[in-house]
Amino acid sequence: MSAIRLLVLGAVRRHGRAHGYQVRNDLEFWGADEWSNTKPGSIYHALKQMAKQGLLHAYESAPSTAGGPPRTEYEVTEQGTAEYFSLLREALTSRDKMDLLAAGIGFIVDLSREEAVTLLRRRIKGIEGWRESVTAYYKPEEGPEQLGHIGEIMHMWVHSADVGAEWTRGLIERIEAGAYIFAGEDGDPFEGVLAEEHENPQEACGSHGGEPA
Amino acid sequence: MSAIRLLVLGAVRRHGRAHGYQVRNDLEFWGADEWSNTKPGSIYHALKQMAKQGLLHAYESAPSTAGGPPRTEYEVTEQGTAEYFSLLREALTSRDKMDLLAAGIGFIVDLSREEAVTLLRRRIKGIEGWRESVTAYYKPEEGPEQLGHIGEIMHMWVHSADVGAEWTRGLIERIEAGAYIFAGEDGDPFEGVLAEEHENPQEACGSHGGEPA
DNA sequence: GACCTTCTATTCAACTTTGACTAGGGTATG
DNA sequence: CATACCCTAGTCAAAGTTGAATAGAAGGTC
């Protein structure tokens, strides 16, 4: 599974209502086009698929206010919100797939501080388990160097997993030390969304509240 | 670009002639199914595409010697060999995409020792350049912590790139110290291919020689 | 010998990703 | 005021990926 659905759901959710181009710009702003597959086609495809599956509700063809073709706007449904949190939790515990993890970190503050830490700890457990199974599998009969240069591949993966675990521990520490504002806490929640030119100021403050779960 | 073409070309090349199931087993043996997309469908698709593009030559429908449906065998063409080395060089210099790098390492001994080192050094240069551009882009006006938790994402990528560069330096050292047998050197080249049950012993020794370039 | 499992070998439909393309409108330039 | 260029917004065909399904043969077992 790629990170695109999580990214798109998260972007739309932050706006309350958004069209494809807005999502695209946000993801670019976050640098997601560098570390994930956020080509235009993928974004529009994800929007359409998720609309078809009821995760998003599509408002057809609002005429563009700034040139270009008419645009379709989307809103996250209840079902979509559930999926969002499910994907988010999955992303934060995933061992492989740096892009998933990155997307998860981007939205981590939508969870409570405790849950964030719990999930990150689970991630470390996952890495450690994987590490054991891999090193067990690859240290068979005839000495360590019977693998030749192929051994380098395994070392690379194990090493990078170790570093990932170490980095995660650091993040947990920072979070436990009080860094950042999480869901349900006082202070400005970090938005990190590109401002829309204020065409309809009175519509800009719909509270799209926290998770029910 | 994914690693599958390189992996498939490399696997077929090592056998001289191979059918899809053989390739699949090799990739599994190398653990490539863990770190790359080597599902059966992808392998057969890659074989067919590359045959269509003239990188492989297909020998239609050799009847299976061990049960199952008849199988199609493939051989790497001259054009395919050129593509193989091109992909291999690209893989070893790629900054992102761990799976590409892993595949590249798997076939690195098909290059000369000097070229291997050169490419790995180029890889480090690439990482360093990328690092600079990223940190420049993400250290803008209002202090470092204006990014909020989004900064964690950048730190993660930069950190993992640094670790990747460091690991590459270690590999270069080992190679320069004489580890492994590279193309054109004395000693058994590492094969790491699953032995075929010797059905046609006299066909098993076709020399599929080194690169012309 | 009927049945079940395993191994061999591949195909297929559904889905996702990619990169190039379309097209309207604004804006600067000569 | 024509033309070139960029920004907005999205579509599309081709390619790649996935997971499940298919199907023949061999081997065990009751």
Side-chain angles (χ1 to χ4, degrees):
Chain A
M1 205 246 334
S2 83
I4 187 115
R5 279 168 167 251
L6 176 56
L7 287 165
V8 169
L9 274 177
V12 172
R13 218 177 88 91
R14 262 164 166 58
H15 281 290
R17 188 195 275 220
H19 52 88
Y21 193 67
Q22 244 173 326
V23 171
R24 177 184 174 177
N25 279 343
D26 277 0
L27 298 194
E28 202 168 316
F29 178 61
W30 299 341
D33 54 333
E34 287 282 325
W35 43 264
S36 186
N37 49 336
T38 48
K39 318 280 183 292
S42 301
I43 294 170
Y44 288 105
H45 173 70
L47 284 168
K48 279 183 188 158
Q49 278 308 103
M50 292 197 293
K52 203 157 77 179
Q53 293 166 17
L55 307 178
L56 295 174
H57 184 274
Y59 296 87
E60 289 300 339
S61 282
S64 169
T65 60
R71 54 206 192 180
T72 308
E73 297 194 309
Y74 296 90
E75 251 179 35
V76 181
T77 64
E78 240 177 272
Q79 212 194 127
T81 301
E83 176 74 356
Y84 170 71
F85 280 98
S86 161
L87 289 175
L88 176 52
R89 288 177 180 118
E90 195 183 336
L92 284 169
T93 44
S94 76
R95 183 194 69 257
D96 44 0
K97 311 279 191 182
M98 293 268 275
D99 59 335
L100 257 193
L101 175 61
I105 300 289
F107 298 124
I108 195 172
V109 293
D110 281 344
L111 300 169
S112 74
R113 194 175 290 265
E114 297 75 40
E115 182 170 18
V117 169
T118 304
L119 291 172
L120 291 173
R121 280 200 221 285
R122 181 136 73 231
R123 177 161 188 275
I124 294 176
K125 282 268 182 282
I127 293 174
E128 287 171 350
W130 172 84
R131 185 197 210 290
E132 262 182 73
S133 74
V134 167
T135 49
Y137 177 63
Y138 270 108
K139 215 144 249 158
E141 308 83 45
E142 310 98 44
E145 280 317 326
Q146 174 253 5
L147 277 174
H149 68 286
I150 296 293
E152 293 284 357
I153 297 179
M154 189 204 51
H155 290 145
M156 184 183 78
W157 286 108
V158 170
H159 182 231
S160 95
D162 286 347
V163 168
E166 194 48 39
W167 181 85
T168 305
R169 280 187 204 99
L171 177 59
I172 290 176
E173 265 179 50
R174 289 191 286 284
I175 291 176
E176 286 189 322
Y180 315 123
I181 313 278
F182 284 77
E185 297 178 348
D186 289 344
D188 291 346
F190 184 85
E191 282 298 342
V193 122
L194 261 19
E196 181 77 340
E197 72 286 0
H198 39 71
E199 32 180 315
N200 286 331
Q202 75 279 17
E203 279 191 28
C205 47
S207 104
H208 44 289
E211 189 204 13
Chain B
M1 206 248 329
S2 82
I4 188 119
R5 277 166 169 254
L6 176 56
L7 287 165
V8 169
L9 274 177
V12 172
R13 219 178 87 91
R14 263 163 165 61
H15 282 289
R17 190 195 274 218
H19 52 88
Y21 193 67
Q22 245 172 325
V23 171
R24 176 185 176 178
N25 279 343
D26 277 1
L27 298 194
E28 201 168 316
F29 178 60
W30 301 340
D33 54 333
E34 287 282 323
W35 42 264
S36 187
N37 49 335
T38 48
K39 318 279 183 293
S42 301
I43 294 170
Y44 287 104
H45 174 72
L47 285 168
K48 279 184 188 157
Q49 278 308 102
M50 292 198 292
K52 201 158 79 179
Q53 293 166 16
L55 307 177
L56 294 174
H57 184 274
Y59 296 86
E60 289 299 340
S61 281
S64 170
T65 60
R71 54 205 193 182
T72 308
E73 297 195 307
Y74 296 90
E75 252 179 34
V76 181
T77 64
E78 241 177 88
Q79 213 194 125
T81 302
E83 176 73 358
Y84 170 71
F85 280 100
S86 160
L87 289 174
L88 176 52
R89 289 179 178 117
E90 195 184 336
L92 285 169
T93 44
S94 77
R95 183 195 66 256
D96 44 0
K97 313 276 192 182
M98 293 268 274
D99 59 335
L100 257 193
L101 175 61
I105 301 290
F107 298 124
I108 197 173
V109 293
D110 281 344
L111 301 168
S112 74
R113 193 174 291 267
E114 297 76 40
E115 182 170 18
V117 169
T118 304
L119 292 172
L120 291 174
R121 279 200 221 286
R122 181 137 72 230
R123 178 161 188 276
I124 293 177
K125 282 267 183 283
I127 293 174
E128 286 171 350
W130 172 84
R131 184 195 209 290
E132 263 182 73
S133 74
V134 167
T135 50
Y137 177 64
Y138 269 107
K139 214 143 250 158
E141 307 81 46
E142 310 97 46
E145 279 318 326
Q146 173 253 3
L147 278 174
H149 68 287
I150 297 292
E152 293 284 357
I153 297 178
M154 191 203 52
H155 291 145
M156 185 183 78
W157 286 107
V158 170
H159 182 231
S160 96
D162 287 347
V163 168
E166 195 48 39
W167 181 85
T168 305
R169 280 187 204 98
L171 178 57
I172 290 175
E173 265 179 51
R174 288 191 287 284
I175 291 176
E176 286 188 322
Y180 316 122
I181 312 278
F182 284 77
E185 297 178 348
D186 288 345
D188 291 346
F190 184 85
E191 283 297 341
V193 122
L194 260 20
E196 181 77 341
E197 73 285 2
H198 38 70
E199 32 179 319
N200 288 330
Q202 75 279 15
E203 280 190 25
C205 48
S207 105
H208 45 289
E211 190 205 11

